[in-house]
Amino acid sequence: MDVKGAVAIVTGGASGLGLATARRLAAQGAKVLIVDQAASNGAAVAQALGGAFAVADVADEATMQEAVAQAEAMGPVRVLVHCAGRGGALRILERDGSPGSLSHYEAVIRVNLTGSFNALRLAAAAMARTEPVDGERGVCILTASIAGYEGQIGQIPYASSKAGVIGMTVVAARDLASKGIRVCTIAPGIMDTPMLQRLPDPVKESLAHGVPNPHRLGSPDEYAKLALHIVDNAYLNGETIRVDGALRMAPR
């Protein structure tokens, strides 16, 4: 799909994976709507890219509807890259034997899984209102994690939320096929994002050491390159693609 002149919604687009993808989309001529939190630098990013900024909670119906309406006012919505998400460590049983927090588990699921469905359904509705170009109306790219396959100890909410995103991918692709809308998911490994940069250097070096090849952390731009290839390649649909340097997570 040629994105020149089309509108691309990038959630979590003010930093990390989303920012790298927004930059590449803008470089290809897309009109980019950055969707992020009010405390982010989304407004400055959008201005630099010649796009627009919307403040929204991806799991909230009203604010995401407003964001998508803003995108539709910019032109035909053709692309969603959904990068917004959160972490949060939790064990099923705490060290004292007490059960893990249900509210904490639900909070992670709300953002990562419910938020993915909410962004997907609203963006798809906007795409369905456009005229098809070369047989397709749009493409939605979700973000999972290799933790959705091999979650580590203490990752129960994050791993199960990302496994849910992986599970919805082919169903969504089949569901939206009649509308000419493709759906794929990217499952990153350990990426050098702002969240990871807060860790001490020895910890980051240890994480990088575990990646087989290349022997380093992944870059946000490598995620972005894959996202742009998915947009461009019309035969990619219903697939979750790992970008992880062949990393398979150990139990801890």
Side-chain angles (χ1 to χ4, degrees), residues 15-38:
S15 64
L17 307 179
L19 174 56
T21 306
R23 284 173 172 160
R24 283 196 169 267
L25 285 164
Q28 293 291 321
K31 302 173 186 177
V32 180
L33 176 71
I34 302 289
V35 179
D36 216 310
Q37 298 176 333

Side-chain angles (χ1 to χ4, degrees), residues 56-151:
D57 172 356
V58 293
D60 176 70
E61 183 169 19
T63 56
M64 274 303 294
Q65 281 183 328
E66 290 173 2
V68 172
Q70 183 177 340
E72 286 190 281
M74 296 165 63
V77 176
R78 300 288 185 191
V79 177
L80 167 70
V81 184
H82 178 62
C83 296
R86 58 161 292 181
L90 181 70
R91 286 178 178 243
I92 298 171
L93 296 179
E94 301 296 348
R95 296 187 186 280
D96 62 2
S98 61
S101 168
L102 179 61
S103 62
H104 179 71
Y105 182 87
E106 289 177 331
V108 176
I109 294 294
R110 178 184 180 276
V111 174
N112 291 355
L113 186 54
T114 304
S116 294
F117 174 71
N118 193 39
L120 173 64
R121 73 188 184 96
L122 295 175
M127 293 175 189
R129 289 189 282 269
T130 67
E131 291 299 317
V133 177
D134 295 330
E136 60 178 335
R137 288 188 169 89
V139 55
C140 299
I141 300 171
L142 306 178
T143 304
S145 166
I146 63 171
Y149 296 104
E150 305 114 20

Side-chain angles (χ1 to χ4, degrees), residues 17-18 82 86 116 122-123 126 155 163 165 176 195 202 206 232 235 243 245:
L17 307 179
H82 178 62
R86 58 161 292 181
S116 294
L122 295 175
Q155 282 191 322
V165 174
L176 295 172
M195 183 181 298
S206 175
D232 183 61
Y235 211 60
V243 54

